[in-house]
Amino acid sequence: MLLHFQEVLSRDDVLEMRRLLDAADWSDGRATAGAQGAQVKRNLQLRPDHPVARQIGAYIQQKLAQHAQFQSAVLPRRTLAPLFNRYEVAAEYGWHVDSALMRSGADAELLRSDVSTTLFLSDPQDYDGGELEVQDTYGSHEVKLPAGDAIIYPSTSLHRVRPVTRGARVCAFFWSQSLVAADAQRTLLYELDLTIQRLRARLGDDADTTALTAHYHNLLRQWAAP
Ligand SMILES: O=C(O)CCC(=O)C(=O)O
Ligand SMILES: [Fe+2]
């Protein structure tokens, strides 16, 4: 499931983050790619321990913790600290799949990547190219969102960032391990949750919305691996 969340960050948040990010010192992005990824990766990233990455990353994590739709769709067990990338003219990241297992530091717990997120920090009119292209069972999707908006996609998907031909594309990106590993099961739970919420808003609570809520929790109980 690909899902678009609008205005995860406000305009003011984006402007302040860009002020800090644009003044930071960026490094070669290949340092954080796996062997296959490094061959097709041409971009800049902030070092994960860069103070700006830590400060902004913590703020983004806080926003996600309060974002009901992100929580419902991802069912995160843990989300790695956000990383930041910058694609200038000719930068790109060719087709790859994100590593299945990651760590945020040498002695940190392993995280299985189930859901990948890109949070855009550049507006579409500020650059050409740079679309995030994600393949799923229904074909290929090109994504370029307003600054402050986010896309989530299953980490099992082949994806790439197309070459930038004008301007610069700046994004935050990160991975979550979900309580529910399988995309199909997460999608079903998310859609059921949305349906229950719409029914509640329309009809209030009655025996049927309570029964559906029980089904939601009982499915989650069967599928969740905390
Ligand atoms: O910038 C993006 O949209 C995604 C970057 C990416 O695929 C990665 O760093 O693994
Ligand atoms: Fe990726």
Side-chain angles (χ1 to χ4, degrees):
M1 164 178 58
L2 263 72
L3 270 182
H4 171 186
F5 299 125
Q6 291 178 340
E7 293 176 36
V8 174
L9 299 175
S10 69
R11 250 312 108 170
D12 285 351
D13 285 343
V14 170
L15 288 176
E16 175 61 7
M17 288 184 185
R18 282 302 302 270
R19 193 182 65 75
L20 293 167
L21 288 167
D22 290 348
D25 41 331
W26 293 77
S27 321
D28 189 329
R30 275 173 290 195
T32 55
Q36 187 270 331
Q39 292 182 34
V40 291
K41 190 174 186 184
R42 304 277 173 272
N43 74 350
L44 298 171
Q45 282 180 205
L46 276 197
R47 287 191 333 273
D49 60 351
H50 194 293
V52 169
R54 291 204 171 181
Q55 180 192 337
I56 304 181
Y59 184 79
I60 292 172
Q61 294 255 38
Q62 196 184 313
K63 285 280 172 194
L64 295 172
Q66 299 160 356
H67 197 287
Q69 272 181 303
F70 180 88
Q71 295 295 320
S72 172
V74 178
L75 293 168
R77 182 181 175 284
R78 206 153 65 88
T79 294
L80 282 189
L83 298 172
F84 297 86
N85 60 27
R86 183 176 173 95
Y87 291 77
E88 296 178 346
V89 172
E92 67 177 310
Y93 195 168
W95 290 112
H96 66 281
V97 73
D98 297 330
S99 300
L101 299 171
M102 309 182 178
R103 276 182 218 277
S104 53
D107 48 0
E109 198 188 333
L110 265 182
L111 174 134
R112 185 192 61 228
S113 58
D114 295 320
V115 181
S116 303
T117 304
T118 296
L119 173 56
F120 287 77
L121 298 173
S122 296
D123 275 312
Q125 62 269 25
D126 293 344
Y127 60 101
D128 291 330
E131 297 84 1
L132 171 65
E133 192 176 354
V134 183
Q135 286 181 19
D136 73 6
T137 41
Y138 302 110
S140 185
H141 306 270
E142 285 189 15
V143 184
K144 190 192 261 201
L145 302 179
D149 286 16
I151 181 94
I152 63 166
Y153 55 99
S155 302
T156 47
S157 321
L158 266 180
H159 59 280
R160 67 168 167 170
V161 177
R162 297 172 63 96
V164 168
T165 56
R166 178 187 63 88
R169 171 197 193 267
V170 177
C171 292
F173 62 103
F174 45 90
W175 294 277
S176 305
Q177 178 166 335
S178 177
L179 295 166
V180 176
D183 179 52
Q185 294 176 337
R186 281 196 308 273
T187 303
L188 191 155
L189 287 167
Y190 178 64
E191 290 175 354
L192 180 55
D193 184 29
L194 289 184
T195 306
I196 294 170
Q197 287 180 38
R198 281 195 299 267
L199 279 177
R200 273 223 182 93
R202 211 166 67 225
L203 307 170
D205 273 312
D206 65 9
D208 291 327
T209 56
T210 305
L212 275 179
T213 305
H215 294 331
Y216 174 88
H217 283 281
N218 291 333
L219 283 174
L220 183 57
R221 211 182 312 279
Q222 294 213 27
W223 292 340

